Each structure stands twice: as C-alpha cells, then as structure tokens.
Amino acid sequence: DTAVSQTPKYLVTQMGNDKSIKCEQNLGHDTMYWYKQDSKKFLKIMFSYNNKELIINETVPNRFSPKSPDKAHLNLHINSLELGDSAVYFCASSQVRYNSPLHFGNGTRLTVT
Amino acid sequence: AQKVTQAQTEISVVEKEDVTLDCVYETRDTTYYLFWYKQPPSGELVFLIRRNSFDEQNEISGRYSWNFQKSTSSFNFTITASQVVDSAVYFCALSDTQGGSEKLVFGKGTKLTVNP
C-alpha cells in the first residue's frame, strides 16, 4: 500500500548510457514531480506534471525527459548519462487544488561511473 | 525570488535536550505555505507539517512544536526532550503554486545529531 513508489532504488551505470526511473502513485493525486538531491543534500525541483501536462521545467538539460502516460505515473528518462547526474532523484505527488502537501517516494540513488 | 535559509548546517545535542531548528524565508507572495520535512539516515523524505501564511498560530504535535512569525519571516521548529531517533536532516520549504502545480523551494537542511 505504498503511496508513492519509485523503481529502482539504486541504479549504477556508466557514462554515456541511457536509463529510466519509474514512479507511480496510488493517492489519486493530479500532480507529480521530480526532484533532484545532490551530494550536499540540496533538493531542487526538476519537473512537475498536472494531469499529464508539463507545468514546471526548471532549466534541466534536455537529456532529461519526463513522461507521464497517465496521472498516476511519471517516469524520468535520462540520455547520455554524465558523472554530474549522480544524485538521488525523488518522485513526489500532490493534489494542488486541495492544498495537500507533497508526498515523496523513497528516492532512487543514481551513480554514474 | 523565493528563498529559504536554514543557517544552522549541523547541530549536535545530547538526548533529552530541547533543540530549535531555525528557518527564515523570503517571498513576495501574500499567500504561501511553509513546510518541514525530515530525512532520516535511511533517506526517505517524511512530511512533518504544513502551515498556511494566514495562520500564525503555533502548533504542537507531541514533542514537536512550530513557531511561525510572519513579522520576522521565520518558521522555527523545536523538538522537546530530543531522542536518538530524531537524528536526521530537517528541511524547511516554501511553496510556490504555478499553474496547478506546487513547487517547493527547500532550504539547505539542518543535520541534527542526537547523542545518547
């Protein structure tokens, strides 16, 4: 009965590869997000989707492409991975019109070697 | 631009001490929300509280309490009688609602270590 689940939990890959992180929420929320937490623990928004529509895109390299097949899913695909992409990526969801707080997934630790 | 400052990078206390984590924010919005999240060593982000900018009442939940002062743009968090399990990184955040989506601007976090 996990509210926001993301897979995989750990992802180790080499530079230049393409990888995806999947996220699903079963809270019935209409908005989903990707946040990035760097090695200094700083959290910053990357994208948000509301009912499958891209709302926020925070100056993220176009190697990062979010995809929302429906409002319960928001996947993150990363092309041509670079060392600097190593971070923890958090998926989150909320129901903005009801002012619900963001519920975060447990994070995916991406290590690029 | 919105900004959240958590001036305390790390705090270390002994169990049963009270500890206050400071949070100062900047925004031009008249309506906004403030949040605290906890990130224990296991890494997940746990929601603790959300406060509406129109509600300046302090809130208490068990050993946790929050002091919101609009006049000083602060939203401080106090843990009373701290316990080892309170050891975590605590983040203060400010909301910015854009077009049906809510963006959180986070502070850099305060790492709290509670020693036995």
Side-chain angles (χ1 to χ4, degrees):
Chain A
D1 59 346
T2 305
V4 181
S5 60
Q6 50 183 112
T7 55
K9 187 172 174 63
Y10 299 97
L11 186 52
V12 181
T13 188
Q14 291 184 329
M15 283 175 56
N17 285 348
D18 303 339
K19 289 293 177 186
S20 293
I21 306 172
K22 294 185 176 181
C23 180
E24 176 182 4
Q25 55 95 3
N26 62 5
L27 296 165
H29 288 167
D30 58 6
T31 306
M32 295 185 72
Y33 311 79
W34 280 107
Y35 279 78
K36 179 180 179 180
Q37 186 173 42
D38 64 22
S39 58
K40 295 184 178 179
K41 296 279 192 182
F42 185 55
L43 273 158
K44 190 162 190 253
I45 191 168
M46 299 173 68
F47 302 103
S48 78
Y49 270 75
N50 179 271
N51 281 318
K52 302 193 296 176
E53 181 185 349
L54 179 65
I55 303 294
I56 295 174
N57 182 341
E58 286 279 309
T59 321
V60 177
N62 57 16
R63 298 183 295 103
F64 289 79
S65 52
K67 285 190 171 46
S68 182
D70 55 61
K71 70 176 190 179
H73 295 84
L74 180 62
N75 304 323
L76 184 64
H77 189 76
I78 315 170
N79 289 327
S80 302
L81 278 155
E82 300 177 356
L83 291 176
D85 297 332
S86 295
V88 180
Y89 293 85
F90 285 95
C91 178
S93 72
S94 70
Q95 185 74 9
V96 176
R97 70 170 181 268
Y98 296 133
N99 293 320
S100 72
L102 265 66
H103 292 262
F104 285 89
N106 287 339
T108 295
R109 182 176 293 278
L110 171 64
T111 303
V112 182
T113 61
Chain B
Q2 298 192 313
K3 186 178 177 182
V4 175
T5 301
Q6 294 180 254
Q8 304 148 308
T9 306
E10 292 193 42
I11 299 176
S12 183
V13 299
V14 177
E15 213 170 11
K16 297 185 184 175
E17 282 186 35
D18 298 347
V19 58
T20 295
L21 309 182
D22 297 334
C23 174
V24 174
Y25 63 92
E26 295 175 27
T27 181
R28 291 184 180 177
D29 293 343
T30 53
T31 303
Y32 51 89
Y33 287 87
L34 293 160
F35 301 77
W36 278 94
Y37 282 84
K38 173 182 179 181
Q39 187 173 39
S42 50
E44 70 271 25
L45 285 162
V46 179
F47 166 76
L48 296 178
I49 189 172
R50 180 190 59 194
R51 171 62 78 215
N52 183 305
S53 56
F54 292 111
D55 182 1
E56 289 194 68
Q57 282 191 336
N58 292 333
E59 180 152 342
I60 297 175
S61 175
R63 296 184 296 107
Y64 295 170
S65 62
W66 290 269
N67 182 287
F68 175 32
Q69 294 203 348
K70 220 167 173 179
S71 59
T72 55
S73 296
S74 65
F75 187 43
N76 296 337
F77 173 30
T78 297
I79 302 174
T80 304
S82 60
Q83 299 176 1
V84 173
V85 293
D86 296 327
S87 296
V89 180
Y90 290 86
F91 292 96
C92 181
L94 171 66
S95 69
D96 175 10
T97 301
Q98 298 180 17
S101 184
E102 186 166 34
K103 166 185 168 181
L104 288 189
V105 176
F106 284 86
K108 293 187 176 180
T110 297
K111 182 178 180 181
L112 173 65
T113 302
V114 181
N115 298 300

